[in-house]
Amino acid sequence: MRRLAAGNWKMNGVSASLDEIRALLALHSDPACEMLICPPATLLAPLAVLAAGTALSVGGQDCHQNASGAHTGDISAAMLKDAGAGSVILGHSERRADHGETDQLVAQKALAAREAGLVAVICLGETEGERDAGRTLDVIGAQLAGSVPDGASGANTVIAYEPVWAIGTGRVPTLDQIAEVHDFISRSLNARFGTAAGAIRLLYGGSVKPSNAAEIFEVPHVHGALVGGASLKASDFGTIVAALSAA
Ligand code: 13P
């Protein structure tokens, strides 16, 4: 299984930010892991040009569940693909919170992504209140069951475990807590999808930094990271890529 270092730029980045990509590619022309950057949609096409023929691939941050139509301001999976994306983040907790996205909607979007030939990077994660109430695995199990459509395989799906309370806070679960959830996700996928589940990569996300990446990558069933803030700087993301390549 090829490990994956994915960067989610969220609503950050203009044309000048592509210099960070040039610097990243200078640092890592041939990493032992796959690199993915998901920029804002405005930068997809120019980033895809930069990434062509390199170890870097490009992804969107969301897509609409329909293939086309009267949906002002939305973007379809086929449009992402046309702009050079190979994957798309779906069901990020910021979209679930800001835009009321439900598990059912995320599953519809994942099917739309699959139809367009994109890999769906489906995000799951508990809130702090849910963890404190001892409900983490119940919440993750329900999100997994509801957000991941039938027919998921390593070729069309990546799962990212991102505890909501760890995103952008500098707080990270203990390695045991990460291990518990990743083991649970792995077992749940195996139970539902059988052998096809074995190739589905599981990413950890939430305050991954150069300083903590290496130890997180040692946790069983962690096949990479989905990185927010630290993906914006080539030096930081490059260190995380190096840690994953060495893991
Ligand atoms: P941070 O790495 O900034 O905590 O963000 C994580 C995230 O939400 C990636 O999708």
Side-chain angles (χ1 to χ4, degrees), residues 109-136:
K109 291 182 174 203
L111 286 176
R114 193 186 299 172
E115 184 71 23
L118 297 178
V119 173
V121 181
I122 300 174
C123 301
L124 320 168
E126 81 285 3
T127 64
E128 185 161 32
E130 288 163 346
R131 178 164 281 279
D132 289 346
R135 295 184 50 230
T136 298

Side-chain angles (χ1 to χ4, degrees), residues 8 10 92 94 162 166-169 205-209 226-230:
N8 173 10
K10 309 190 180 184
H92 192 282
E94 288 151 13
E162 299 204 307
I167 294 176
T169 60
S207 295
V208 176
K209 306 277 181 241
L226 181 54
V227 184

Side-chain angles (χ1 to χ4, degrees), residues 10-134:
K10 309 190 180 184
M11 199 170 72
N12 299 290
V14 292
S15 301
S17 315
L18 295 175
D19 285 346
E20 295 297 328
I21 299 300
R22 294 184 185 93
L24 177 69
L25 291 172
L27 281 173
H28 291 292
S29 54
D30 191 19
C33 65
E34 184 180 341
M35 295 191 295
L36 166 68
I37 292 287
C38 301
T42 48
L43 291 180
L44 271 173
L47 180 53
V49 170
L50 275 183
T54 76
L56 179 67
S57 58
V58 176
Q61 297 178 10
D62 176 52
C63 70
H64 197 275
Q65 65 274 24
N66 292 350
S68 63
H71 304 289
T72 302
D74 279 312
I75 191 160
S76 73
M79 291 169 184
L80 298 176
K81 178 88 175 171
D82 183 55
S87 54
V88 58
I89 297 169
L90 294 173
H92 192 282
S93 62
E94 288 151 13
R95 293 214 53 96
R96 291 178 188 260
D98 294 356
H99 299 273
E101 294 196 0
T102 62
D103 291 332
Q104 186 191 16
L105 181 63
V106 175
Q108 289 171 357
K109 291 182 174 203
L111 286 176
R114 193 186 299 172
E115 184 71 23
L118 297 178
V119 173
V121 181
I122 300 174
C123 301
L124 320 168
E126 81 285 3
T127 64
E128 185 161 32
E130 288 163 346
R131 178 164 281 279
D132 289 346

